[in-house]
Amino acid sequence: MTHKILIVDDNQAVLDALSLLLEIHDFSVVTATNPFDALQIVRYQRIELVIQDMNFTSDTTSGEEGKALFYELREINPHLPIILITAWTELATAIELVKAGAADYLPKPWDDAKLLVCIANLIELGSAKKIVATHNRHQQEREGTFKSADLAGLIFKSTAMERLVTMALQVAKSDISALITGPNGSGKECIAHIIQKNSPLVSQPFIKVNAGALPQELIEAELFGAEAGAYTGITKQRIGRFEAADGGTLFLDEIGNLPLSGQIKLLRVLQTGEFERLGSTQTRKVNVRVISATNENLLQAIEQGRFREDLYYRLNVIELNVPALSERQDDVLALISHFLPHRELTINTEQALQHYKWPGNVRELENACKRVAVLKPTGALTVDDFILSSQASSQQKAEPTKQEIEHAMRAHQGVIAKVAREFGLSRQALYRRLQKMGIDY
């Protein structure tokens, strides 16, 4: 992408010299000979940096015109980098403007090499600031959305979970069927609760059933009900889960474990809303929103003949995938802080726990925190206190020093994502270290 730079000077020779220098180095250049034109250009064009003189009238050397232009440019765009070109007589004014936010000042005649380095650094820094500003704006928008929603106690910090929850809140507004996928212990049921709690059906029944745990001979009775005497041992009428959920939501957990005989009966009620209680010929009709969840790869199950393809597409109008905890490291410390409030972790412990794979996902982490609360109720916590597999220790990396982080910040020109990647940290983890160590960013 070509970066556009505005040069403001009433001396045509200066404009020509700077334009040639910058265009040779692949910058796009716009010029103005007076403050009015400069302000119009900044208002209506995408300018990334301004190089401005301090005087625009032949008999003026005070720098007041440049000072006025500087403040007007800042009003239009407070983040626009501005480099001042000064004569020695205006040096005091230039220093004043640098304190007020000017990016730099260069005396006349300027040093081409120094000017080019200054421009490159400022544009890179400006790009990084735009990314951070955009991220912060989106973060505030998401936080505003989340603040007004019922998140069913879900704890998260990662971008992956923010996207997932945002999608779940959008799905909640409709009445379509949703399939929640993800490994055991990752929080699928919690996502189902978020959909239900933020839907128009929040005040209606929310019925949960573990489809895979239903005995095959009782599936029909559990889902659709049974009349008294319909099978051995039933002495009174039984209401099924679909009938109980009428007008509301039915959550079918572990749907991938439902046997084929149950899948056939489930498909019919999803298609028509109709069913009969076991032992009855009376057709009943229900209006139920179905949310299902599975840790199975249902497409693979379809290929193997273990799951009906037509049922899959009935359930999976939209899929919400909950990533494993190992894929959202930023959530680990937030969850630990929730399960172990007011407990202190060493920096090495934080890093080790974030890099641990957590094969049991959030459920494993919660159990580990419960053990810690019982076995070490006070004091700072180390990774050994969590009684994890040796994997946690083997994955632990040396904590970067302040000098190493400062060197990396300079090398990557303050781009947080690149510095975090160098040390194997998340951006949030790096921000915490920058704050603790007092490093400007």
Side-chain angles (χ1 to χ4, degrees):
M1 182 180 112
T2 302
H3 302 287
K4 186 180 286 189
I5 296 175
L6 168 64
I7 306 170
V8 192
D9 200 299
D10 62 332
N11 187 325
Q12 190 62 47
V14 171
L15 294 179
D16 292 342
L18 285 173
S19 297
L20 179 61
L21 173 68
L22 298 180
E23 286 170 353
I24 287 173
H25 290 85
D26 297 324
F27 292 105
S28 174
V29 177
V30 183
T31 63
T33 57
N34 60 74
F36 177 81
D37 290 346
L39 294 170
Q40 293 298 100
I41 290 169
V42 170
R43 282 192 183 100
Y44 299 110
Q45 296 189 39
R46 193 168 186 165
I47 301 298
E48 294 183 64
L49 183 140
V50 173
I51 302 173
Q52 70 156 82
D53 191 16
M54 296 294 291
N55 295 293
F56 304 98
T57 307
S58 58
D59 59 349
T60 302
T61 58
S62 66
E64 289 300 314
E65 291 175 313
K67 183 176 176 180
L69 175 60
F70 169 80
Y71 283 113
E72 288 181 283
L73 289 172
R74 300 295 282 183
E75 281 186 21
I76 297 171
N77 183 351
H79 305 292
L80 181 64
I82 301 173
I83 299 174
L84 308 170
I85 302 179
T86 72
W88 289 112
T89 54
E90 305 134 11
L91 188 56
T93 303
I95 292 172
E96 176 191 336
L97 295 184
V98 168
K99 290 179 180 177
D104 204 348
Y105 67 89
L106 296 174
K108 294 179 180 178
W110 60 85
D111 182 307
D112 285 355
K114 183 178 178 182
L115 177 60
L116 289 170
V117 168
C118 182
I119 290 172
N121 288 339
L122 289 172
I123 287 179
E124 180 69 24
L125 181 61
S127 298
K129 285 181 177 178
K130 284 180 185 175
I131 292 170
V132 171
T134 301
H135 171 78
N136 290 341
R137 186 174 66 254
H138 291 166
Q139 182 74 12
Q140 289 171 356
E141 290 171 356
R142 283 193 293 267
E143 287 176 356
T145 301
F146 296 157
K147 193 174 290 185
S148 61
D150 187 335
L151 301 184
L154 184 68
I155 305 298
F156 61 94
K157 285 285 185 184
S158 66
T159 303
M161 287 302 288
E162 285 180 357
R163 284 197 295 263
L164 174 63
V165 172
T166 300
M167 185 182 294
L169 293 174
Q170 291 173 324
V171 170
K173 299 172 186 175
S174 68
D175 60 356
I176 60 175
S177 298
L179 175 64
I180 305 170
T181 59
N184 283 334
S186 59
K188 297 188 295 295
E189 184 173 338
C190 199
I191 297 299
H193 276 283
I194 288 174
I195 294 173
Q196 192 270 338
K197 286 178 177 293
N198 295 278
S199 76
L201 304 178
V202 60
S203 60
Q204 301 303 313
F206 181 58
I207 306 298
K208 297 181 284 186
V209 56
N210 188 326
L214 297 176
Q216 189 162 349
E217 64 276 9
L218 296 180
I219 286 174
E220 191 171 351
E222 284 286 339
L223 292 179
F224 309 118
E227 300 292 345
Y231 58 88
T232 304
I234 183 170
T235 58
K236 59 181 180 179
Q237 187 185 77
R238 181 170 186 168
I239 301 297
R241 304 299 179 92
F242 268 95
E243 201 167 345
D246 190 21
T249 305
L250 179 64
F251 176 49
L252 297 173
D253 200 6
E254 301 303 342
I255 191 69
N257 296 329
L258 189 67
L260 286 170
S261 58
Q263 292 177 32
I264 295 169
K265 296 179 174 66
L266 176 59
L267 179 63
R268 180 199 171 199
V269 73
L270 291 177
Q271 288 175 328
T272 65
E274 297 178 347
F275 68 95
E276 292 82 35
R277 289 180 187 159
L278 192 64
S280 170
T281 57
Q282 180 184 352
T283 298
R284 302 174 184 275
K285 195 171 183 69
V286 291
N287 181 18
V288 174
R289 179 186 193 170
V290 174
I291 302 172
S292 52
T294 183
N295 65 345
E296 278 249 18
N297 183 334
L298 292 187
L299 292 176
Q300 188 178 74
I302 290 169
E303 290 179 2
Q304 297 171 351
R306 295 185 292 107
F307 202 84
R308 293 182 62 98
E309 186 174 16
D310 46 6
L311 176 59
Y312 172 77
Y313 287 110
R314 279 283 174 184
L315 295 171
N316 188 19
V317 176
I318 189 165
E319 181 176 344
L320 299 164
N321 179 256
V322 185
L325 186 55
S326 61
E327 297 173 15
R328 42 186 170 110
Q329 293 180 347
D330 292 341
D331 291 342
V332 172
L333 297 183
L335 286 162
I336 292 173
S337 179
H338 173 72
F339 295 133
L340 293 170
H342 314 302
R343 297 301 300 274
E344 181 185 350
L345 277 67
T346 66
I347 291 179
N348 283 351
T349 300
E350 288 184 0
Q351 190 173 24
L353 294 175
Q354 283 186 302
H355 285 85
Y356 178 61
K357 292 301 183 185
W358 298 106
N361 294 293
V362 178
R363 194 171 296 146
E364 180 188 1
L365 185 147
E366 182 177 7
N367 289 340
C369 290
K370 287 178 179 178
R371 286 197 301 271
V372 168
V374 172
L375 300 176
K376 192 174 181 181
T378 60
L381 299 173
T382 68
V383 67
D384 293 334
D385 295 324
F386 285 83
I387 318 177
L388 304 174
S389 71
S390 58
Q391 181 190 148
S393 299
S394 66
Q395 289 175 335
Q396 188 170 346
K397 298 180 180 179
E399 179 66 21
T401 65
K402 180 178 180 179
Q403 291 74 18
E404 289 172 335
I405 292 179
E406 286 176 332
H407 179 269
M409 289 287 285
R410 288 193 296 271
H412 296 298
Q413 298 178 330
V415 180
I416 295 296
K418 293 181 180 179
V419 178
R421 195 178 304 121
E422 179 172 325
F423 294 113
L425 300 171
S426 66
R427 283 177 296 179
Q428 285 80 357
L430 177 59
Y431 280 126
R432 283 195 297 273
R433 284 154 179 77
L434 292 173
Q435 291 169 352
K436 280 184 181 180
M437 296 175 179
I439 300 173
D440 292 333
Y441 59 91

